[in-house]
């Protein structure tokens, strides 16, 4: 009973912060060593910044001189939605803006290992009628409007927040951005409809960049206000209401000067980039969120989605690097919304050629001359192909040629068959083979004879499937016959063609 009374008299926030083994893990020795190197105390205040496009979470910590310094950058395993703020419940958007995290928002009993609530919606969001709840930074690498880390990462971040609260910090600031607010990124996204909002929160980004102090955040007239203080002639501090008119306030002159200087440099660089024709970033075509490249490299068919990919390297190269934590088997990498992509208008591109091409999946690199329909008997090469198991079943997968309605048939493109590929290979690789005689014979045939006797659709030859096992997919899967460049001769491997044709040399 006495123990219960003592427990009830304790700081309930501290009790809730570390009431199990997961929430009570110590700060790792490497982080402690980094704090010593950077002149930080274990329980000094922290500040967190998030960047969607870069898929990174930064933990800043106050040094003994009173300014914040970067302690560690964590790659984000998964975030959902698009670049831009969260607007309504269920839109899968991860929030953007400035939020305050107090001890009551830390959740040691989270279903996602450990977590803390971002505090969305803040007063600004509410003033705009934005809705949503339970937007977290948590573990498990799974997101539906959250910022998801690995369990090992959130354990470290949680321990840093816990120690800052134990050291007396009442709340730490969370700054969430679509990307690092640099002139390059602002130029790339200059046509994005969210740009007015991004320019507004960039003001707070700039305040932190030049002062290395946590900016004081207020709201009025449905906008953010940073580092506002009492006017010199005012008798009390200004009272802010996100939906009401702004009260009289001032911003310290040294802060104003430093911020304006930075913004002038940024705007000059931005103007140069736009004048130089910096490409505009493509708008979201239905991709759901992003993932840091270090995690995408560890997942089969992994993708960074709306986050930045690896610069100067590939995901295959990053696959050898150690992942910062355990990636769960149920991880869901960013994938395009196929319904959105299908309904989106096709981009306008310059045509590859200026001539009409047949409706087919093949890529046209040059105009292919029309082939003459093959004789019904197939000839020597067709018979040879069938004997070798290369039946003409490919023709059954294509649309049969239309029946001729005039004495002269229009030139059509005949689908490439196994026999024709064999004949082409013989022409290319067999010494002494003279194709001029065959060409003369083909040219001597009257066109009317060809048109009067339309080609019959060939019957599928099942011997090919019976004699050959199914091929295993390779790295270049997808470069199949359907995507072969029209007019190009197929490459025949030496161990298959020569061994078969050697008997007829």
């Amino acid at each position: 009973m006495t123990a219960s009374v003592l427990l009830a008299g304790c700081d309930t926030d501290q009790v809730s912060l570390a009431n199990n083994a997961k929430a009570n893990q110590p700060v790792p020795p490497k982080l402690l060593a980094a704090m010593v190197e950077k002149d930080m105390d274990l329980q000094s205040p922290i500040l967190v910044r998030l960047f969607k496009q870069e898929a990174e979470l930064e933990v800043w910590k106050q040094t003994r001189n009173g300014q914040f310094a970067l302690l560690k950058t964590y790659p984000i395993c998964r975030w959902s939605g698009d670049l831009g703020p969260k607007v309504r419940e269920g839109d899968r958007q991860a929030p953007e803006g400035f939020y305050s995290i107090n001890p009551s928002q830390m959740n040691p009993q989270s279903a996602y290992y450990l977590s803390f609530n971002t505090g969305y919606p803040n007063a600004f969001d509410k003033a705009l009628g934005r809705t949503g709840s339970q937007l977290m930074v948590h573990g498990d690498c799974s997101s539906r409007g959250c910022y998801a880390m690995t369990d090992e990462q959130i354990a470290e971040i949680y321990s840093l927040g816990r120690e800052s609260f134990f050291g007396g910090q009442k709340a730490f600031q969370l700054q969430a951005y679509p990307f690092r607010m640099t002139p390059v990124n602002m130029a790339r996204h200059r046509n994005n409809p969210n740009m007015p909002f991004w320019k507004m929160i960039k003001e707070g980004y700039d305040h932190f960049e030049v002062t290395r102090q946590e900016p004081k955040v207020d709201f009025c007239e449905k906008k953010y206000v940073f580092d506002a203080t009492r006017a010199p002639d005012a008798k009390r501090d200004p009272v802010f209401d996100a939906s009401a008119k702004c009260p009289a306030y001032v911003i310290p002159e040294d802060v104003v000067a430093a911020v304006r200087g930075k913004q002038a440099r940024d705007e000059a660089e931005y103007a140069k980039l736009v004048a130089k024709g910096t490409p505009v970033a493509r708008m979201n075509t239905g991709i759901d969120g992003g993932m840091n490249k270090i995690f995408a490299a560890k997942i089969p068919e992994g993708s960074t989605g709306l986050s930045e990919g690896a610069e100067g390297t590939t995901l295959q190269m990053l696959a050898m690097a150690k992942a910062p934590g355990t990636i769960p088997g149920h991880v869901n990498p960013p994938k395009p919304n196929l319904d959105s992509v299908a309904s989106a208008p096709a981009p306008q591109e310059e045509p590859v050629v200026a001539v009409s091409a047949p409706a087919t999946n093949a890529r046209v690199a040059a105009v292919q001359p029309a082939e003459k329909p093959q004789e019904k008997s197939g000839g020597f090469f067709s018979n040879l192909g069938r004997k070798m198991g290369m039946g003409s079943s490919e023709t059954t997968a294509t649309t049969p040629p239309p029946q001729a309605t005039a004495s002269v048939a229009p030139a059509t493109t005949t689908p490439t068959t196994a026999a024709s590929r064999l004949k082409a290979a013989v022409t290319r690789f067999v010494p002494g083979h003279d194709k001029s005689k065959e060409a003369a014979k083909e040219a001597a045939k009257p066109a009317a004879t060809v048109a009067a006797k339309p080609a019959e659709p060939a019957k599928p030859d099942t011997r090919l499937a019976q004699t050959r096992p199914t091929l295993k997919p390779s790295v270049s899967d997808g470069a199949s016959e359907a995507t072969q460049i029209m007019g190009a001769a197929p490459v025949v491997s030496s161990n298959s063609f020569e061994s078969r044709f050697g008997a007829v040399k």
Side-chain angles (χ1 to χ4, degrees):
M1 181 175 179
T2 303
S4 300
V5 172
L6 290 174
L7 183 61
C10 294
D11 186 336
T12 55
D13 284 338
Q14 292 191 7
V15 172
S16 65
L17 280 171
N19 61 1
N20 59 36
K22 291 186 299 182
N24 207 25
Q25 295 178 66
V27 176
K30 284 187 177 181
L31 276 182
L32 292 175
M35 291 179 198
V36 172
E37 181 182 347
K38 298 181 180 183
D39 199 27
M40 302 169 176
D41 291 321
L42 172 62
Q43 295 187 340
S44 66
I46 68 167
L47 181 146
V48 174
R49 298 202 302 181
L50 290 156
F51 303 96
K52 290 179 177 178
Q53 180 175 279
E54 292 81 5
E56 290 180 343
L57 180 151
E58 296 177 345
V59 175
W60 293 70
K61 199 164 178 63
Q62 194 175 60
T63 64
R64 290 189 176 96
N65 69 6
Q67 289 188 319
F68 281 82
L70 179 63
L71 175 61
K72 186 172 180 177
T73 300
Y74 296 86
I76 297 175
C77 193
R78 192 72 168 88
W79 61 271
S80 61
D82 196 357
L83 300 180
K86 183 172 182 64
V87 175
R88 62 184 179 278
E89 184 85 42
D91 63 5
R92 294 183 62 86
Q93 283 290 103
E96 294 174 7
F98 288 71
Y99 300 89
S100 182
I101 316 300
N102 62 49
S104 67
Q105 292 165 245
M106 307 288 282
N107 184 8
Q109 304 290 350
S110 174
Y112 297 100
Y113 196 75
L114 291 168
S115 67
F116 62 84
N117 194 310
T118 62
Y120 176 91
N122 61 19
F124 169 80
D125 301 318
K126 292 176 182 177
L128 295 180
R130 294 176 177 175
T131 58
S133 60
Q134 301 300 312
L135 280 304
M136 306 280 183
V137 176
H138 58 65
D140 199 49
C141 193
S142 175
S143 173
R144 291 192 300 271
C146 299
Y147 293 97
M149 320 299 292
T150 62
D151 292 351
E152 292 86 348
Q153 288 177 313
I154 194 63
E156 279 191 22
I157 298 166
Y158 189 97
S159 70
L160 292 170
R162 179 196 67 215
E163 293 301 322
S164 73
F165 291 135
F166 287 172
Q169 188 174 18
K170 298 299 182 182
F172 67 83
Q173 191 173 90
L174 174 73
Q175 304 176 6
Y177 300 101
F179 40 73
R180 297 187 185 279
M181 313 300 277
T182 62
V184 172
N185 282 332
M186 299 298 281
R188 290 183 60 230
H189 296 278
R190 59 187 179 273
N191 290 345
N192 194 296
N194 290 304
M195 186 52 70
F197 169 73
W198 291 341
K199 286 182 177 179
M200 181 173 59
I201 62 174
K202 183 182 182 295
E203 185 86 14
Y205 177 94
D206 292 339
H207 275 241
F208 180 73
E209 285 290 307
V210 300
T211 66
R212 288 291 187 258
Q213 299 281 353
E214 178 183 303
K216 178 176 174 289
V217 180
D218 290 296
F219 313 98
C220 60
E221 298 179 8
K222 298 181 181 180
K223 67 180 182 180
Y224 279 84
V225 177
F226 299 99
D227 289 325
T229 61
R230 181 195 308 178
D233 56 347
K235 296 182 179 180
R236 60 189 181 94
D237 291 336
V239 177
F240 288 88
D241 185 324
S243 300
K245 184 179 179 179
C246 291
Y249 68 88
V250 295
I251 300 174
E253 291 183 3
D254 57 337
V255 175
V256 171
V259 170
R260 293 296 173 260
K262 179 184 183 303
Q263 291 178 344
R265 294 188 297 272
D266 288 350
E267 289 169 5
E269 181 64 21
Y270 171 88
K272 289 180 182 178
L273 292 167
V274 173
K276 193 168 60 176
T278 297
V280 176
R282 296 182 62 182
M283 299 294 288
N284 183 6
T285 55
I287 300 173
D288 180 21
M291 170 180 281
N292 190 279
K293 56 194 175 186
I294 190 63
F295 296 111
K298 302 293 182 183
I299 302 170
E301 301 182 1
S303 167
T304 56
L306 295 177
S307 296
E308 292 179 339
E311 294 184 4
T313 184
T314 63
L315 294 183
Q316 288 79 3
M317 295 171 65
L318 284 172
M320 302 302 294
K322 184 179 179 181
T326 304
I327 305 175
H330 58 260
V331 65
N332 182 26
K335 294 179 181 178
N337 184 330
L338 298 181
D339 293 336
S340 174
V341 173
S343 60
Q348 298 295 324
E349 297 181 355
E350 294 184 4
V352 177
V353 291
V355 296
S356 59
T360 175
N361 292 329
R363 295 172 293 171
V364 179
V367 179
Q368 181 182 10
E371 295 182 6
K372 298 292 183 180
Q374 299 207 3
E375 293 290 337
K376 185 175 181 181
S377 61
F380 167 76
F381 293 102
S382 297
N383 293 333
L384 177 60
R386 287 194 292 271
K387 289 178 181 179
M388 293 165 58
M390 299 175 64
S392 57
S393 58
E394 294 93 339
T395 58
T396 61
T398 62
T399 305
Q403 299 294 330
T405 57
S407 59
V408 179
T412 59
T413 302
T414 304
T416 304
T417 65
S420 63
R421 292 199 304 271
L422 178 60
K423 182 184 291 186
V426 171
T427 303
R428 293 177 59 191
F429 297 110
V430 178
H433 181 76
D434 188 1
K435 193 177 179 182
S436 60
K437 296 181 180 179
E438 291 183 14
K441 291 180 180 179
E442 292 291 335
K445 293 180 181 179
T449 304
V450 177
K453 190 175 184 181
E456 296 181 3
K459 296 180 180 180
D461 191 336
T462 60
R463 287 176 293 177
L464 179 61
Q466 295 171 355
T467 57
R468 293 184 179 180
T470 303
L471 295 178
K472 295 181 180 180
S474 64
V475 176
S476 57
D477 264 357
S480 62
E481 189 172 341
T483 60
Q484 178 179 327
I485 297 179
M486 296 180 63
V491 177
V492 183
S493 58
S494 59
N495 62 352
S496 60
F497 173 77
E498 290 185 358
S499 59
R500 294 182 177 182
F501 194 74
V504 299
K505 283 187 178 180

